[in-house]
Amino acid sequence: MAGPMMLIRVLVRCRAVATLLPSALDQTITLPGTAQRHLEQCLRCQADAAHYRRIRSTMRASRSATYRPDAMLLGDILRDARPPAPMYTLGRSSPRREGRRALVGWLAALATASAAGILVLAARPGTRQGLAT
């Protein structure tokens, strides 16, 4: 029964050391004695420490590097970042007002067609003569 309990204790220590490890390697904090002893004995935590050291050295090396973006990159970013142009030009009314005008136009056309239809039906031979009798 000591095996599983020991494993749980090691995992808890690994998690505790893992949270402290980046700060300890940056020399922001110093590891407590128990965490330092664990790091000296645990291969998993030693591998994590080596990984953090590689990341830190890569970041330090890239600090002095200069990267030149592609000449078209700025144009691509600006093109993709701009909202699409509105469908109407300045000086004209808004799309909402244009929609209202279209609706009024359709209603006027409908009323005219209806009136013409009524007049045609009223003037047909064999129907009532005229609109008002």
Side-chain angles (χ1 to χ4, degrees):
M1 202 70 188
M5 290 305 290
M6 182 61 119
L7 180 63
I8 290 172
R9 198 174 301 150
V10 168
L11 289 177
V12 170
R13 285 188 189 150
C14 285
R15 286 185 186 158
V17 171
T19 58
L20 299 173
L21 202 54
S23 299
L25 292 175
D26 286 339
Q27 298 173 346
T28 307
I29 64 167
T30 56
L31 285 176
T34 56
Q36 183 63 39
R37 282 191 299 277
H38 176 80
L39 182 60
E40 291 168 358
Q41 296 173 357
C42 180
L43 295 177
R44 178 179 176 189
C45 290
Q46 289 173 10
D48 286 346
H51 181 73
Y52 283 122
R53 285 188 193 104
R54 278 193 305 273
I55 291 173
R56 188 178 60 197
S57 67
T58 302
M59 290 177 67
R60 282 187 180 158
S62 67
R63 208 183 281 172
S64 61
T66 304
Y67 299 100
R68 299 218 62 79
D70 184 29
M72 301 299 291
L73 179 65
L74 180 61
D76 292 343
I77 291 172
L78 291 176
R79 183 191 68 234
D80 293 341
R82 281 192 199 128
M87 297 304 290
Y88 58 93
T89 59
L90 294 176
R92 291 185 67 199
S93 59
S94 67
R96 179 178 243 174
R97 187 168 289 165
E98 290 293 325
R100 287 183 189 159
R101 284 185 183 165
L103 178 63
V104 169
W106 277 101
L107 290 176
L110 180 64
T112 304
S114 297
I118 291 172
L119 289 175
V120 167
L121 290 176
R124 268 183 34 191
T127 61
R128 292 189 304 183
Q129 299 294 326
L131 291 176
T133 54

